[in-house]
Amino acid sequence: MAGEPWKTIQQRWRNHGLQMLGVALVATLIAAACEYADLLKPAERMAYDQALSAFAGDRGKSSHVVVVAIDQPTLDAISQDEGWRTNFGNWPYTRTLWARIAEELQAAGAKAVLFDAVMDERASDESADLGFAQVLRELHLPFYVGMVANGTAAPLLRADFQAPVPVAAPEAAPAAPAAPAAPAADAFPEEFEDGPATATPTLTPEALARALAFPAGRTDGQPLPPLQYESSDGMRPRYPVPPTPALVGAVDGFGLVDTEADPDGFMRRTHFAYTDGINTYVTLPVRLVADLLGAKEVTLSGRALHLGERSWRVDADGSAALDYGGMLHKRYPLVSLKYVLNDWILRKNGKAPELPADTFRGKVVVIGGTTPGINDIKATPFSSTEPGLVKQAAVVDTLLAGAFITRLPQGMDLGLTFLVALVSAVLLMTARWTPLEVGWPVALVGGLLVVAGLFLKTAHTHVLTAMPALAGIGASVAALAFNHLVANRETEFIRQAFTRFMEPKLVEQMIRSRQLPRLDGENKEITAFFSDIRGFSTFSEHFKEDPRQLVRILNTYLTTVSGALLREGGCLDKYIGDAVVCLFGAPMDQEDHAIRACRGALAAKAAVETLRVEFRQKGFPDVYTRIGVNSAVNFVGNFGSDQLFSYTAIGDGMNLAARLEGANKAYGSGIMIGPRTYELAKDHIEVRELDRVRVAGKTEAVTVYELLALKGRLDADLQHTVARYHEALALYRQARFADAVAVLEAEAARAPGDGPTGALLERCREYLETPPERFDGVVNLEK
């Protein structure tokens, strides 16, 4: 029986393999069409966010990037301190503050500073811009500032990176801007008093283009993404907004800080370089890291980003998803700006800073706002209210020591989608199990999210979820429809096929309860019924001159026997001439199949007895019937050829039932049942143990019984006969044949019509005359 499920699976694959492939292919094509028509993008973004936050959101603190936060405590501290407010004003603060922060970060050993803001408006006090620029020139701290692009900015000249930078120096270097008063009573050092204002240095268009642009390109012939925006008359170009002229030449570099948000407003991806059709520009993190790595240009080739000798895997379009590694406060050390400013004051007054000495040493410092009051709150997969600087920090950290998240190649996505669809179709069309049909789509989506999350965590690879999920669910729905179509066809087939062989109400009950037989076959325990008319050859010979009368009589007989069996829930297997074959326990499961078969056999015998009386009155031959009943595990299902097949059973149990029917002749019994039938029905029937027999081809002997009546319905005379028979049978098995003969002769005289008594008496007399050479009390039951 262990191999039957596998046989069923193989048969269903053979019968419906092409349909399974077709369902998977169609589901894949539909899902792919939806994916490439961007219909699945919202669902894919949601799935990506869930997988990323669930599996790749705890990478620990970065050891390469520190964030200096312009947070609410900083805003409060500056607004509440008169000295600080006088020197730095209200937000946005004067550039004097950033000069002091730059000085402190260099003193603390910072590797470079990324200022996540733009400085494209001149300060009301021009000396603040000039002083800030002068401090940056004098420091050895790389300092990078953001820039934006819009449709109202003027195009720049084409940058010539081979020519020297034509920038005129200022006429006189300004003194550093005034410093704020210390929080305590300490005064600022005198060297930070206000100095004289000077003119802004001359800035040529060539120098501006050279300062803002950066060499970038693709070696695979593909274009860089354009800087553009959508207007009422189509896509229009955007150009960089120039920074304050005083900072050009003082700041180490400028880079784009556009949000690069997806249509839903979430920041998930970044490009590394853009073009406005005139020059190429890189994002601010790329500009900073390019200098740290000594790269003179940014190169994209195929699925790789190159900066100097370093490379990173990116997507084919030159973009990549950001590996945030978690929320900002969990991923990066955060230092409030007010503590950096306070340390500068302490250091200038000859006191030790309060922040740990290694807070900034050897690290890139990202300066930006973290409070909603600065209006730089963006959405990421981890939070809808993250500070925008988290994007810059994530890109810098990845470029320094990490990997971007990239997509699987398109072919692999399609392959995975087809695989999911095929597994869904094969699984559901093979199993045809309702709980699986209900639970599989849920398990499928959950499993795909887990797979996507594991790929994100371990391989930094974005495996599409929405397209395979749609294909899998589509294939599941199609498989479900197919299953119901097959089930409906099988139901109709069963209704048409079995109504002729079973009570119609039982057929409908079987269909309603979904106890549909497996027409492709199964091993199950059933009880088989065989019956035959004694001397049918003589019976048919009587009607050789009138065959139609024979047919009418035979039909009457078969209808009588069949009706008795059907009323007990039997399934008529076949008619073989005058023989009737009936199954109990199949196709409909019946736990009491043995009991039903016994009741059916007794009912059939009683009905035939009534019919015999009618036939005698009409002068017809006798229709004495012998019956064999046996219970066993048999293989039941549709058997036959392409031209003709029927639902039946095969197996040793069926053979024994047929042998028992024939063995009635030797024992003079009417209904003989096998040992398993007796075991299953013994509490409901009255029997006589007839003998132990060995079937032809078998070595093991079995005990057979004569079925006499239902429990409690055996009359007293027959009970006496059965008791004497059992007494004689025990003597017979002890080879005490003379004693057995004495018992049997006495009972035969009392009940001369009892067939089994006469049969055993004859055998015992034979053994008295000719003792057997080897006696084991077992009779060989010939074919």
Side-chain angles (χ1 to χ4, degrees):
M1 293 184 65
E4 291 310 312
W6 175 241
K7 291 180 181 178
T8 300
I9 290 172
Q10 289 180 314
Q11 186 172 30
R12 288 179 178 175
W13 286 354
R14 286 194 300 268
N15 293 342
H16 304 303
L18 290 178
Q19 289 93 328
M20 295 174 184
L21 285 173
V23 165
L25 182 59
V26 171
T28 300
L29 292 175
I30 293 174
C34 292
E35 170 65 24
Y36 298 124
D38 289 342
L39 299 179
L40 299 181
K41 287 296 188 289
E44 183 60 43
R45 295 187 191 106
M46 291 177 60
Y48 173 82
D49 291 349
Q50 292 178 359
L52 191 70
S53 58
F55 289 87
D58 187 19
R59 296 197 184 277
K61 292 287 187 181
S62 170
S63 59
H64 302 280
V65 175
V66 177
V67 172
V68 171
I70 309 171
D71 53 11
Q72 193 59 47
T74 296
L75 297 180
D76 293 341
I78 293 178
S79 66
Q80 294 170 9
D81 186 277
E82 184 176 353
W84 286 13
R85 187 172 63 252
T86 300
N87 283 278
F88 307 135
N90 296 316
W91 176 262
Y93 303 122
T94 67
R95 273 129 209 187
T96 305
L97 172 63
W98 308 122
R100 305 308 167 220
I101 297 300
E103 289 176 338
E104 175 56 27
L105 292 176
Q106 176 176 278
K111 180 187 291 188
V113 174
L114 183 149
F115 190 81
D116 184 33
V118 297
M119 295 184 178
D120 53 13
E121 294 184 2
R122 299 192 182 195
S124 57
D125 181 0
E126 191 175 14
S127 64
D129 287 346
L130 296 172
F132 179 37
Q134 184 62 30
V135 169
L136 293 180
R137 287 189 178 93
E138 293 173 354
L139 294 176
H140 301 292
L141 177 66
F143 199 98
Y144 297 84
V145 177
M147 66 178 178
V148 296
N150 63 39
T152 60
L156 302 178
L157 294 180
R158 184 176 299 277
D160 183 359
F161 294 101
Q162 305 301 320
V165 182
V167 180
E171 296 178 358
D186 300 322
F188 280 92
E190 293 181 358
E191 63 266 32
F192 290 96
E193 295 297 324
D194 287 330
T198 59
T200 301
T202 303
L203 180 64
T204 65
E206 294 84 357
L208 180 61
R210 176 75 176 271
L212 301 187
F214 193 82
R218 298 188 64 117
T219 61
D220 54 8
Q222 299 297 317
L224 291 175
L227 281 174
Q228 58 185 13
Y229 69 100
E230 186 174 0
S231 67
S232 57
D233 55 350
M235 302 304 295
R236 305 284 295 175
R238 293 186 296 134
Y239 302 103
V241 178
T244 301
L247 298 183
V248 177
V251 170
D252 291 82
F254 297 90
L256 294 169
V257 289
D258 293 329
T259 302
E260 295 185 298
D262 285 334
D264 61 356
F266 281 66
M267 296 189 303
R268 298 183 182 90
R269 307 182 62 80
T270 184
H271 282 83
F272 305 96
Y274 289 86
T275 179
D276 62 0
I278 302 173
N279 293 305
T280 57
Y281 309 93
V282 295
T283 60
L284 185 57
V286 173
R287 184 67 184 85
L288 181 149
V289 176
D291 282 356
L292 294 182
L293 298 178
K296 301 301 181 183
E297 64 177 346
V298 174
T299 304
L300 290 157
S301 58
R303 293 174 61 90
L305 165 70
H306 305 281
L307 285 178
E309 297 181 356
R310 292 281 304 278
S311 298
W312 297 263
R313 189 180 64 181
V314 297
D315 288 331
D317 64 351
S319 69
L322 301 173
D323 179 24
Y324 286 107
M327 298 181 68
L328 177 70
H329 68 278
K330 294 182 179 180
R331 184 74 178 102
Y332 302 101
L334 292 179
V335 179
S336 178
L337 180 70
K338 70 175 185 177
Y339 296 131
V340 182
L341 181 59
N342 187 63
D343 272 8
W344 176 82
I345 295 171
L346 294 174
R347 195 185 299 273
K348 289 303 179 181
N349 283 286
K351 297 180 181 180
E354 294 180 350
L355 291 172
D358 62 347
T359 301
F360 302 110
R361 185 177 299 125
K363 299 176 182 177
V364 173
V365 179
V366 176
I367 302 176
T370 61
T371 180
I374 298 179
N375 295 323
D376 189 29
I377 301 301
K378 301 294 189 294
T380 73
F382 293 94
S383 173
S384 60
T385 56
E386 279 283 81
L389 65 85
V390 69
K391 175 191 169 188
Q392 317 301 344
V395 177
V396 170
D397 192 57
T398 302
L399 290 173
L400 291 177
F404 293 100
I405 297 171
T406 56
R407 285 269 303 272
L408 276 179
Q410 191 175 88
M412 295 183 68
D413 277 329
L414 287 173
L416 174 63
T417 301
F418 178 74
L419 177 63
V420 170
L422 182 61
V423 169
S424 300
V426 170
L427 186 64
L428 297 185
M429 292 171 70
T430 301
R432 301 183 191 174
W433 186 42
T434 301
L436 182 63
E437 292 174 344
V438 174
W440 173 249
V442 178
L444 172 65
V445 174
L448 285 173
L449 284 175
V450 171
V451 170
L454 292 177
F455 267 85
L456 287 171
K457 181 177 182 178
T458 60
H460 287 82
T461 300
H462 176 196
V463 177
L464 285 184
T465 303
M467 183 167 69
L470 178 61
I473 293 174
S476 300
V477 171
L480 191 61
F482 176 84
N483 289 348
H484 282 284
L485 177 63
V486 170
N488 289 339
R489 288 178 177 175
E490 289 184 352
T491 298
E492 187 58 32
F493 172 80
I494 289 167
R495 180 178 285 112
Q496 294 177 359
F498 287 98
T499 299
R500 294 177 296 165
F501 310 127
M502 296 176 63
E503 280 288 325
K505 63 181 180 181
L506 289 180
V507 176
E508 294 303 321
Q509 178 184 343
M510 181 172 62
I511 292 172
R512 285 195 305 271
S513 62
R514 305 303 300 168
Q515 293 185 22
L516 301 183
R518 287 169 53 179
L519 301 179
D520 49 358
E522 62 182 323
N523 270 326
K524 64 186 304 186
E525 186 177 56
I526 63 170
T527 299
F529 170 101
F530 277 76
S531 71
D532 202 353
I533 297 176
R534 178 183 61 186
F536 182 70
S537 297
T538 303
F539 186 98
S540 58
E541 181 73 15
H542 185 80
F543 291 97
K544 65 180 181 179
E545 302 298 331
D546 189 5
R548 288 187 176 84
Q549 181 69 357
L550 174 64
V551 171
R552 285 192 291 270
I553 292 174
L554 187 58
N555 287 346
T556 301
Y557 166 80
L558 294 176
T559 300
T560 300
V561 174
S562 300
L565 298 174
L566 290 176
R567 282 189 291 273
E568 293 299 332
C571 172
L572 292 176
D573 182 345
K574 61 179 70 70
Y575 298 128
I576 307 173
D578 63 314
V580 178
V581 182
C582 186
L583 308 179
F584 290 85
M588 185 175 180
D589 291 337
Q590 295 167 328
E591 293 183 0
D592 59 343
H593 53 85
I595 301 171
R596 287 174 177 268
C598 291
R599 287 203 305 256
L602 292 170
K605 181 181 178 182
V608 170
E609 290 298 326
T610 302
L611 190 63
R612 292 173 69 190
V613 173
E614 295 178 6
F615 278 15
R616 281 196 298 268
Q617 293 174 351
K618 296 179 180 179
F620 295 156
D622 192 11
V623 287
Y624 180 81
T625 299
R626 300 189 183 102
I627 297 171
V629 177
N630 186 54
S631 303
V633 174
N634 292 280
F635 190 75
V636 295
N638 271 327
F639 295 90
S641 65
D642 292 341
Q643 291 75 30
L644 179 65
F645 61 90
S646 64
Y647 187 83
T648 186
I650 59 175
D652 288 343
M654 296 291 290
N655 295 335
L656 181 57
R659 302 278 178 81
L660 295 179
E661 179 273 318
N664 282 293
K665 180 178 180 181
Y667 286 90
S669 55
I671 306 174
M672 190 179 295
I673 66 174
R676 179 60 178 165
T677 303
Y678 171 71
E679 180 183 346
L680 293 174
K682 61 184 178 182
D683 294 335
H684 301 269
I685 56 176
E686 301 285 356
V687 300
R688 171 185 356 214
E689 181 180 342
L690 286 174
D691 208 349
R692 287 178 56 78
V693 300
R694 185 181 293 111
V695 179
K698 300 291 184 180
T699 58
E700 182 181 357
V702 297
T703 302
V704 295
Y705 304 84
E706 181 186 17
L707 177 62
L708 301 173
L710 294 177
K711 197 72 173 179
R713 298 185 184 181
L714 190 62
D715 62 68
D717 286 344
L718 191 51
Q719 288 183 33
H720 183 275
T721 300
V722 170
R724 296 287 76 77
Y725 183 90
H726 286 162
E727 180 183 351
L729 183 64
L731 294 170
Y732 162 79
R733 287 173 177 168
Q734 299 171 27
R736 296 167 57 185
F737 303 124
D739 295 337
V741 166
V743 173
L744 291 170
E745 285 179 341
E747 186 57 32
R750 195 189 71 82
D754 187 59
T757 297
L760 184 58
L761 175 59
E762 182 180 351
R763 192 189 315 163
C764 289
R765 287 171 175 171
E766 179 181 343
Y767 284 171
L768 277 174
E769 295 178 4
T770 309
E773 295 181 2
R774 297 178 59 186
F775 179 75
D776 58 1
V778 177
V779 175
N780 291 320
L781 194 62
E782 301 299 333
K783 294 184 178 179

